[in-house]
Amino acid sequence: MANYTAADIKALRERTGAGMMDVKKALDEADGNFEKAIEAIRIKGLKGAAKREGRSAAEGLVLAKVVDGTKGYLLEVNAETDFVAKSDKFVGLAEKVLEVAVANDLGDVETLLEADVDGKKVTDYVTEEGAAVLGEKIVVRRLAKVEGAFVDAYLHKTSKDLPAQVGVLFAVDADSDAAKTAAHDVAVHAAAIVPQFLTRDEVPSETVENERRIAEETARAENKPEQAMPKIIEGRTNAYFKENVLVDQPFAKDPKQTVSQVLESAGAGATAFARFRVGS
């Protein structure tokens, strides 16, 4: 009988994030030797990495870091299960990948995956140090960089037991105390209200035309008078902007004001934002 205890099983699961049966099998094969069991899990994980390529990884976390108050980085890393997503090993791996992005001032995930960490590419590091040990497909999915006179980062947990699932970076063109407070409030707003664009100018023209077409066809189906059509189409297109454009949205804490009005009151203007929600 192998020389290990239930406490050893628990400790090895916490250390590696591996499943119960995998941990017990590794300890059996290592005759209870903790370090050899870890090595066995790593080897097994490496062999299984290719088999995990086609599997879905929709759990995970979002991390953010702001440097000097003016430059923010937002990273999403995915795993297959929330059990792995909340493990210290997974969180530590994601934090290290974010450190690479910050150290190299990167703003896109393709460049990040090719960057160096501990003498290897990030993509190889994630496979060898993450997927192999954790036993799941691990994906560095998205990276964004936002710059401004002031950048606020807000992370939101949808479950108290999991790492942050929603992250927002929001940049403004002023750095007064009032501007910083307003920027944070808008970052929290963006986490909850889910804007798609910063300003109307960012909405693709084909999207605007499609919204106008839908508005017109809907109005005609409702037998609205012809002379009222232009005003109805304009009103319904504006409703689309108010729902999807951040600065046009009613402010969550005070819907009588738009986000733009809140920022103007603070002497600031929006310059950029990024929002990630795990798996979406």
Side-chain angles (χ1 to χ4, degrees):
M1 184 175 178
N3 183 25
Y4 62 84
T5 66
D8 294 328
I9 294 174
K10 180 174 183 293
L12 190 54
R13 290 198 73 198
E14 292 176 347
R15 175 84 173 269
T16 64
M20 176 72 76
M21 295 307 296
D22 287 337
V23 164
K24 292 181 70 174
K25 187 175 181 179
L27 285 167
D28 283 335
E29 292 174 354
D31 196 25
N33 185 295
F34 200 82
E35 295 304 322
K36 287 185 177 179
I38 291 175
E39 184 177 334
I41 290 172
R42 284 175 54 86
I43 293 171
K44 182 180 178 181
L46 285 170
K47 288 180 177 177
K51 296 179 181 177
R52 292 190 288 271
E53 282 302 310
R55 285 156 48 174
S56 173
E59 301 294 335
L61 57 72
V62 178
L63 293 174
K65 184 176 180 64
V66 176
V67 178
D68 298 330
T70 61
K71 191 179 294 183
Y73 304 83
L74 192 65
L75 177 72
E76 178 186 349
V77 182
N78 297 139
E80 295 177 43
T81 66
D82 59 5
F83 176 78
V84 164
K86 64 184 179 184
S87 69
D88 291 342
K89 177 70 178 179
F90 178 79
V91 174
L93 179 143
E95 290 174 341
K96 187 153 187 172
V97 173
L98 179 60
E99 288 175 4
V100 175
V102 173
N104 293 280
D105 192 26
L106 304 178
D108 67 89
V109 73
E110 291 79 13
T111 307
L112 173 61
L113 290 173
E114 294 297 311
D116 179 83
V117 55
D118 293 347
K120 61 186 74 172
K121 292 181 180 179
V122 167
T123 186
D124 294 332
Y125 173 82
V126 169
T127 298
E128 296 172 15
E129 301 298 326
V133 174
L134 297 170
E136 291 193 0
K137 182 179 180 180
I138 306 297
V139 177
V140 180
R141 185 184 180 204
R142 291 184 285 186
L143 172 69
K145 182 175 72 173
V146 166
E147 298 181 73
F150 176 73
V151 177
D152 188 85
Y154 174 70
L155 296 174
H156 177 74
K157 288 187 174 185
T158 57
S159 169
K160 65 179 182 181
D161 297 326
L162 296 174
Q165 300 279 294
V166 181
V168 174
L169 293 174
F170 181 65
V172 292
D173 58 4
D175 61 356
S176 66
D177 289 345
K180 291 178 179 177
T181 299
H184 178 70
D185 287 345
V186 173
V188 175
H189 164 102
I193 307 301
V194 199
Q196 302 298 312
F197 310 97
L198 180 66
T199 67
R200 294 190 183 199
D201 291 341
E202 292 185 359
V203 183
S205 58
E206 56 268 29
T207 299
V208 177
E209 289 305 311
N210 192 51
E211 289 302 316
R212 290 185 181 280
R213 179 186 60 78
I214 292 172
E216 180 175 356
E217 291 180 2
T218 303
R220 293 192 185 285
E222 295 170 344
N223 295 317
K224 298 294 185 183
E226 188 65 30
Q227 63 272 24
M229 281 295 177
K231 191 172 183 180
I232 292 172
I233 293 170
E234 195 64 25
R236 290 180 175 176
T237 305
N238 280 333
Y240 171 83
F241 288 136
K242 290 178 181 178
E243 182 176 350
N244 294 283
V245 174
L246 177 56
V247 296
D248 287 350
Q249 289 180 328
F251 186 45
K253 290 175 67 175
D254 179 10
K256 293 180 181 178
Q257 299 186 81
T258 65
V259 167
S260 178
Q261 290 171 328
V262 170
L263 292 170
E264 287 174 8
S265 297
T271 58
F273 91 107
R275 181 187 187 279
F276 293 166
R277 181 186 176 97
V278 169
S280 65

